[in-house]
Amino acid sequence: MAASLAPSILSADFARLGEEVREVAEGGAGLIHVDVMDGHFVNNITLGPAVTAAIRKVTDLPLDCHLMIEKPERYVEAFIDAGAEMISVHVEAARHLHGTIQNIRKWGAKAGVVLNPATPLSALQDILPDVDFGLLMSVNPGFGGQSLIRPVLDKVRQLRAQVDREGLDCRIEIDGGVTEDNLAEVASTGADMIVSGSAIFGTDDVRATTRRMVRILADAGEVRA
């Protein structure tokens, strides 16, 4: 099965946000990735529940909210109320990780955990059976437009093997530095969801770029099958 493309609105033109969300949807995107930053856990500040709610009004695609924030447990419910179907929190930021994951699910969203590039996969050992997806960062979180950290691809392959070996109902997502040029290689790792931001929204034709990348993922899925 082909991986889903998840355009990250961190790189979108916020003056045309609704229009650009519609364009990636028309191009075949599988979900919309919403990067939430607080200026504390990472050195950038982005958007909150109000913008998430605004995006919810212009698309039926699942909203995948990645909380790069301290004490994410305080804000989970607000993002779910704003329309997020998926919420992911960082192992490095959530003090009470199991409780936060349980609450995400209790409030009706799919729960994910995130690892920064330097955090070992062993940090997921105790929580992996309890989550719906694991997100591996392939750049250091905080800003778009960075280059992919290639050793993370091996981490994705290792996580794919573990999930399959243990029969876990857990999807795998990768985020950071994904472009048209490396997309097929990233897809070959076995990731189920692939985030891309500036490689989509930094082009002249967002819809056409999305279509090309979705086609690459479809071809990669056929090869894997």
Side-chain angles (χ1 to χ4, degrees), residues 87-91 97 101 111-115 124 127-128 131-136:
I87 301 280
S88 56
V89 298
H90 276 257
V91 168
L97 187 57
I101 292 299
V113 288
V114 192
L115 292 186
L124 294 179
I127 195 67
L128 201 59
V131 300
D132 298 294
F133 63 104
L135 168 56
L136 301 186

Side-chain angles (χ1 to χ4, degrees), residues 13-194:
D13 180 353
F14 273 57
R16 301 178 55 246
L17 183 56
E19 183 179 349
E20 291 203 327
V21 168
R22 292 188 188 95
E23 288 174 357
V24 295
E26 292 167 0
L31 59 158
I32 301 295
H33 191 77
V34 181
D35 286 308
V36 180
M37 307 179 191
D38 63 359
H40 296 283
F41 180 64
V42 295
N43 295 322
N44 196 6
I45 298 174
T46 55
L47 49 84
V51 176
T52 303
I55 299 168
R56 176 74 290 154
K57 293 177 181 178
V58 299
T59 184
D60 293 327
L61 290 178
L63 300 186
D64 168 26
C65 284
H66 172 195
L67 304 188
M68 288 173 272
I69 61 178
E70 292 183 353
K71 300 179 180 178
E73 62 275 4
R74 293 184 176 183
Y75 305 99
V76 163
E77 191 170 10
F79 280 98
I80 294 174
D81 287 344
E85 288 94 345
M86 300 166 62
I87 301 280
S88 56
V89 298
H90 276 257
V91 168
E92 303 89 355
R95 288 185 180 178
H96 307 291
L97 187 57
H98 278 93
T100 302
I101 292 299
Q102 289 170 356
N103 282 335
I104 293 171
R105 288 179 139 179
K106 181 178 73 175
W107 291 325
K110 293 190 179 299
V113 288
V114 192
L115 292 186
N116 284 338
T119 304
L121 280 178
S122 58
L124 294 179
Q125 190 61 41
D126 293 334
I127 195 67
L128 201 59
D130 299 320
V131 300
D132 298 294
F133 63 104
L135 168 56
L136 301 186
M137 294 299 299
S138 45
V139 297
N140 290 303
F143 295 91
Q146 300 181 60
S147 297
L148 183 142
I149 298 174
R150 298 191 63 81
V152 176
L153 299 182
D154 286 333
K155 288 175 71 174
V156 177
R157 294 185 183 97
Q158 292 169 33
L159 183 58
R160 174 82 274 159
Q162 179 182 354
V163 166
D164 292 347
R165 182 174 63 250
E166 297 179 9
L168 299 176
D169 186 15
C170 175
R171 302 183 76 197
I172 300 171
E173 187 171 22
I174 183 171
D175 178 5
V178 177
T179 67
E180 281 191 68
D181 291 336
N182 62 27
L183 182 57
E185 182 182 10
V186 173
S188 73
T189 64
D192 301 295
M193 299 172 288
I194 299 176

